[in-house]
Amino acid sequence: MKAVVMNRPGDRDVMAYVAWPDPQPGPGEVLVTVAAAGVNFMDLGVRQGKAWTETPDPKVMGVEGAGTVRAVGAGVTEFAPGDRVAWVYAPGSYAEQVVIPAASVVPVPSGIDDETAASVMMQGLTASHFATDFYPVQPGDVALVHAAAGGLGLLLTQIIKLRGGTVIGRVSSAEKAVVARAAGADHVIIDTAGQFAQQVRALTGGIGVAVVYDGSGPVTFQGSLDALRASGTFCWYGPVLGAPEAIEIMSLPRSIKLGYAVFSDHIPTPALLRQHAAQLFDWIARGQLKVQATTAYPLKEAAQALADIESRKTTGKLLLVPAGR
């Protein structure tokens, strides 16, 4: 089969599209033919040597996707060849085939296509965690969503709206503002320098927002603090873009709550993984959650896809599609 591997940590030149041994499922595993693989900031962190350091190079990249079960290992009874499945964390997904623990895949309903399923696993489950678990948005809450035109931001905006919240989206360009508004953002701020807090407070009558979802790196950290209301919640994520300086806890203002949100805490068991994935698919089937237009690259162009997501100039979800799909 063909796969995309990284030969060492570094820039895009460390990635290669190569022939790779066909995987075989072991006990409790399924072999899946990949229809589409998701491109994520996590993959960028892996390429840079910030994650998966315990796995020797060369290694196949990618963690997310959707496809069709090709074979099952001993003991697997809940899936059979021909079943359509999706997954959120399966190392080696930038490939034509991948072996995954059966406990880590979810069934894909007939009304959901492969590209849509691959687009909502990581970002959709992350958005679900942020808005229903880490800070359960209540009707009337105002939320500030950074990178509101990105794949995660677009889904997060819609889930907040489903729960009765108001969204202030922050984007970096007028073009992205159009995309964020189309997803339901009530207000959109165009900003690239981290100078948004005053506008947020003006939009909230000086009160501030109930929650900030910030994965934009250190440049926005102080502004996000300043944008929060008393006892507001700061949801920090996205370590690939860097962390703020050390925080003196007694300097945190207005009794705010600050935390680092990790989506895996939302799906610690196979039952919860399938429950939350099923909710996403149900929202999509009902037309309540819309996946914005995806950008699909041939699998062999994975290095370009990662370069594009790193540029922060893309909107929506980026996917890799193996040849012949």
Side-chain angles (χ1 to χ4, degrees):
M1 71 170 187
K2 293 289 190 177
V4 175
V5 305
M6 59 174 282
N7 294 298
R8 62 186 184 282
D11 208 334
R12 59 183 293 177
D13 61 319
V14 306
M15 298 172 63
Y17 179 65
V18 300
W20 197 255
D22 291 344
Q24 299 297 323
E29 296 178 331
V30 295
L31 173 64
V32 179
T33 299
V34 178
V39 179
N40 296 287
F41 272 100
M42 177 183 180
D43 306 332
L44 183 61
V46 171
R47 195 199 70 194
Q48 294 172 343
K50 297 177 181 178
W52 293 10
T53 55
E54 71 284 358
T55 303
D57 297 322
K59 52 180 172 267
V60 181
M61 299 180 66
V63 296
E64 173 194 37
T68 303
V69 174
R70 181 169 182 167
V72 301
V76 175
T77 58
E78 64 268 48
F79 295 102
D83 289 346
R84 295 175 59 243
V85 295
W87 56 93
V88 65
Y89 189 82
S93 294
Y94 282 12
E96 293 177 333
Q97 299 177 45
V98 62
V99 164
I100 312 171
S104 297
V105 299
V106 304
V108 176
S110 59
I112 306 295
D113 62 58
D114 292 325
E115 290 75 16
T116 297
S119 296
V120 299
M121 290 303 293
M122 180 166 284
Q123 292 177 340
L125 289 170
T126 299
S128 174
H129 176 44
F130 288 177
T132 71
D133 189 356
F134 187 88
Y135 178 81
V137 173
Q138 302 299 309
D141 280 344
V142 182
L144 171 60
V145 176
H146 288 277
L152 172 58
L154 294 170
L155 295 172
L156 180 57
T157 291
Q158 294 177 76
I159 294 175
I160 293 169
K161 297 297 293 181
L162 280 172
R163 294 179 63 86
T166 295
V167 175
I168 300 174
R170 174 182 164 270
V171 298
S172 60
S173 69
E175 293 78 12
K176 289 187 176 184
V178 173
V179 176
R181 289 192 182 95
D186 300 276
H187 311 280
V188 179
I189 295 171
I190 300 173
D191 165 74
T192 58
Q195 304 298 316
F196 54 88
Q198 186 174 356
Q199 294 181 70
V200 171
R201 298 197 75 83
L203 288 168
T204 57
I207 296 172
V209 296
V211 59
V212 173
Y213 300 103
D214 189 347
S216 294
V219 68
T220 56
F221 186 82
Q222 185 59 52
S224 290
L225 285 179
D226 296 339
L228 281 166
R229 73 181 186 192
S231 300
T233 297
F234 193 142
C235 176
W236 174 264
Y237 66 98
V240 171
L241 296 178
E245 296 180 356
I247 299 166
E248 172 57 54
I249 193 167
M250 292 179 67
S251 71
L252 292 175
R254 300 183 302 284
S255 300
I256 67 166
K257 297 174 285 292
L258 170 63
Y260 175 57
V262 180
F263 87 99
S264 58
D265 293 327
H266 193 51
I267 51 171
T269 67
L272 282 172
L273 169 63
R274 289 168 187 166
Q275 174 186 323
H276 292 311
Q279 176 66 85
L280 291 173
F281 293 145
D282 183 61
W283 279 334
I284 292 169
R286 293 173 179 270
Q288 296 174 303
L289 185 65
K290 296 181 180 179
V291 178
Q292 304 300 312
T294 59
T295 302
Y297 300 71
L299 179 61
K300 64 182 179 181
E301 295 180 12
Q304 183 62 54
L306 269 188
D308 289 348
I309 200 172
E310 186 176 14
S311 75
R312 308 286 288 179
K313 295 179 180 178
T314 62
T315 61
K317 183 70 176 182
L318 308 189
L319 297 175
L320 299 175
V321 180
R325 297 298 305 180

